[in-house]
Amino acid sequence: DFCKSKGLNCLLVDNTIDWLSNNKKNYELITLLDVLEHVDKNQTIAFLKAIHGSLKDNGLLIVQVPNLQAPDGQLHRYNDITHQVGFIEHSLQQVLISAGYKKIQFAGLEQYVDSKYVRAVKCSLRYLFWKYTKLTRYINGNINPDVLNPILVATAYK
């Protein structure tokens, strides 16, 4: 009702997977911005497959989730009681491949609201901290991802 009151063309559906399954090859681009972590783990691949089917050939899916490989990633995972699952590059790639996606790429996202000077200092310190984090993970034999930003973004093609 709120979206419609703003003049947006929207539709509320009872079952997203069924609705997507009935709308095959309709979309060139679908975005899941802070959505996938709210989907029940047992429905994640079915949900992504339904989106895959609703994309046109070479359609693009953009997924944004909290990055649990980020230092203090657990803060992002558990700051919202409605989060059902957390992702790192590897687990997000697993579910995307399982759902049939190709050409999967990852990037980090972060929003800065500081002055240029403060941002420059933070970025420099964060660079050193991330190098230290990667070194300790390497020494301990842990998974060592490319992206340590708090927000993980994946692009995947049909």
Side-chain angles (χ1 to χ4, degrees):
D1 289 339
F2 173 78
C3 292
K4 287 182 179 180
S5 75
K6 299 297 181 189
L8 298 172
N9 182 14
C10 57
L11 178 67
L12 177 63
V13 297
D14 291 325
N15 186 315
T16 306
I17 293 173
D18 288 345
W19 188 85
L20 287 166
S21 297
N22 291 321
N23 286 277
K24 301 276 186 197
K25 296 188 176 187
N26 280 349
Y27 305 102
E28 293 180 16
L29 170 68
I30 294 178
T31 59
L32 295 178
L33 305 179
D34 300 315
V35 172
L36 196 58
E37 67 271 19
H38 297 273
V39 175
D40 183 270
K41 183 191 284 188
N42 296 323
Q43 294 294 313
T44 300
I45 293 174
F47 179 60
L48 290 170
K49 281 183 178 180
I51 292 170
H52 186 273
S54 69
L55 286 169
K56 294 180 180 181
D57 293 337
N58 288 324
L60 175 62
L61 172 65
I62 300 173
V63 179
Q64 173 181 298
V65 294
N67 184 8
L68 293 192
Q69 280 290 169
D72 298 326
Q74 77 281 0
L75 299 175
H76 301 285
R77 164 67 169 93
Y78 294 106
N79 74 345
D80 185 340
I81 192 100
T82 66
H83 287 173
Q84 298 294 312
V85 67
F87 292 97
I88 65 172
E89 290 170 58
H90 185 73
S91 61
L92 187 52
Q93 184 175 39
Q94 284 177 323
V95 295
L96 289 169
I97 288 171
S98 295
Y101 292 89
K102 310 280 188 229
K103 296 189 271 182
I104 301 165
Q105 295 182 316
F106 296 98
L109 178 67
E110 194 153 357
Q111 192 172 20
Y112 295 100
V113 293
D114 301 312
S115 69
K116 287 182 181 182
Y117 174 75
V118 171
R119 182 177 10 172
V121 171
K122 282 183 175 180
C123 287
S124 297
L125 291 173
R126 181 169 292 143
Y127 172 81
L128 295 172
F129 180 61
W130 286 355
K131 286 291 188 187
Y132 170 77
T133 300
K134 287 186 175 214
L135 176 63
T136 60
R137 289 179 180 175
Y138 172 76
I139 290 168
N140 291 322
N142 292 327
I143 293 174
N144 219 344
D146 291 328
V147 180
L148 291 178
N149 299 71
I151 299 170
L152 179 62
V153 177
T155 57
Y157 287 88
K158 179 172 184 178

